[in-house]
Structure formats: structure tokens, C-alpha cells
Amino acid sequence: MAIGDLVLCTWQPSIRRVINDVAEPIKYRIKGQCGIITEAGDPYRVAVTFPGLNGYTHYLSTNAFEVLNASR
């Protein structure tokens, strides 16, 4: 898995992030959407940008998507 890989999201998170102990709901339905890995520095999660959702970016566990096309 690397930056530029095309992925298919297989899991729908319920929150975007937690700020001041308050969960912020996710704006979009990302399960079933294709995205591109845009950041992969952490071995347990990556940033996936969804072009079909106005460039929305969400950090996902590596278990939350499947790689459709590796960029290598």
C-alpha cells in the first residue's frame, strides 16, 4: 500500500473526529466509494481522498478498504 493507490472503502465510520471530547459526525457516506491514498506515514492508518466527494479526505485503518490498483 502506497501513496497513489486506488482503493475501495469497505467500512463506514460513524464519526469524523473527536474535538474537546465531542464526536463530530461524518459528512459523507464513504462505504462503497473509490478513493486514492494521499498519506501513508502511519503503519496502521492512511489518509484516503475521495474525488467523487469533493475531495473529502478521511483517515482510515488499513482494514477499512481494499486496494483496487497499486501505483507501483
Side-chain angles (χ1 to χ4, degrees):
M1 191 169 353
I3 292 173
D5 286 359
L6 179 65
V7 298
L8 175 66
C9 184
T10 58
W11 179 74
Q12 177 64 43
S14 58
I15 64 169
R16 175 169 168 71
R17 59 184 169 197
V18 176
I19 299 176
N20 297 326
D21 297 327
V22 177
E24 181 181 307
I26 192 164
K27 294 164 86 171
Y28 300 102
R29 178 161 172 78
I30 62 174
K31 184 176 181 180
Q33 296 287 327
C34 289
I36 301 167
I37 296 177
T38 53
E39 186 181 316
D42 186 323
Y44 303 106
R45 68 183 191 139
V46 297
V48 178
T49 299
F50 298 92
L53 299 174
N54 299 318
Y56 174 72
T57 299
H58 196 89
Y59 285 86
L60 293 169
S61 161
T62 55
N63 296 324
F65 57 85
E66 61 182 76
V67 176
L68 297 177
N69 190 16
S71 61
R72 312 173 208 49

